[in-house]
Amino acid sequence: MIDEIILGIINNEDIEEDNTQLVKISLFNEMIYMDMPVMFTEMSIERIKERYTVEPRPQIIYSDESGKINFALNMLELKISDLQTYAYKIRESIRMVHPNTLFYDEDFITDQDNKSIQCFDFRSSSLEGPTYNVMYLIQVPEKTLLGNFNCPFEVYTKWRPIVKRVIKSITKGEIYESI
């Protein structure tokens, strides 16, 4: 019953967009640019190793001061031609390992050709409690960006519109065209 109420809230487009200030950053040797909340900083490699004790760890993490709200990014060294199928396989893998995971929007961000970007959001459990997550895949020439956002579930309504703004801001570096 609670999950249905949450889904109703999530699917309601009346959620107000936050006024969080964003700043443009370059990542992966200027391969991509994206907007990031100004209060977020890049997590040190030492802190990443503390937080993610097993491999593979995210290559880059931007986090708020508490370390509880994060954007994690990996540049995959392969171009995935069918992002929709790949995103489906990721969802199914998560579902198999964590059957209590609740998935929300498969079309978290609408991409007209369904080829250059795929996103989905879900609620999972962690040692710190329920967590809201957004996973996204974006094609970059000859590579694929795999991103993840997570925050404590109790603050997801604030962060959901911000995450959409951040993902929509991602562009290819100057040597490439916009995504």
Side-chain angles (χ1 to χ4, degrees):
M1 179 67 179
I2 296 277
D3 291 337
E4 287 81 11
I5 293 169
I6 293 168
L7 280 172
I9 292 169
I10 285 177
N11 291 327
N12 182 354
E13 293 302 321
D14 294 335
I15 296 173
E16 291 183 29
E17 191 162 312
D18 188 89
N19 291 329
T20 299
Q21 288 186 311
L22 303 176
V23 62
K24 188 162 291 300
I25 59 171
S26 69
L27 297 165
F28 301 105
N29 296 319
E30 298 184 358
M31 185 176 289
I32 64 164
Y33 292 90
M34 68 189 292
D35 293 343
M36 188 64 62
V38 294
M39 68 274 204
F40 278 46
T41 58
E42 188 170 355
M43 194 179 282
S44 70
I45 292 176
E46 294 77 25
R47 179 85 169 111
I48 291 173
K49 287 180 181 177
E50 288 172 14
R51 188 163 172 90
Y52 296 86
T53 56
V54 295
E55 295 281 351
R57 294 179 185 94
Q59 295 165 332
I60 297 173
I61 300 175
Y62 274 79
S63 182
D64 72 338
E65 190 176 308
S66 74
K68 293 181 180 180
I69 303 172
N70 305 288
F71 285 91
L73 303 155
N74 284 301
M75 187 62 71
L76 306 179
E77 294 297 324
L78 66 147
K79 182 173 183 174
I80 298 170
S81 58
D82 186 354
L83 290 181
Q84 190 171 17
T85 299
Y86 198 81
Y88 174 79
K89 288 179 181 180
I90 291 172
R91 279 192 307 274
E92 290 307 303
S93 296
I94 293 169
R95 201 181 315 259
M96 285 178 20
V97 176
H98 305 285
N100 292 332
T101 299
L102 178 63
F103 289 87
Y104 301 122
D105 287 339
E106 291 182 20
D107 297 323
F108 181 78
I109 292 181
T110 305
D111 175 38
Q112 293 187 2
D113 65 8
N114 283 329
K115 293 183 180 173
S116 61
I117 184 170
Q118 285 291 308
C119 303
F120 59 94
D121 59 340
F122 58 98
R123 186 193 72 203
S124 63
S125 298
S126 72
L127 295 175
E128 298 170 349
T131 304
Y132 176 71
N133 302 271
V134 178
M135 292 197 78
Y136 48 99
L137 294 152
I138 298 175
Q139 289 179 338
V140 180
E142 306 308 316
K143 298 184 184 205
T144 304
L145 175 69
L146 172 62
N148 181 56
F149 167 82
N150 61 66
C151 70
F153 190 74
E154 62 265 13
V155 297
Y156 86 92
T157 55
K158 173 186 178 187
W159 284 97
R160 190 169 197 267
I162 298 167
V163 174
K164 284 186 176 188
R165 287 172 52 205
V166 168
I167 295 171
K168 287 179 178 180
S169 78
I170 298 172
T171 57
K172 298 172 187 171
E174 293 177 13
I175 60 173
Y176 307 117
E177 309 131 30
S178 289
I179 294 177

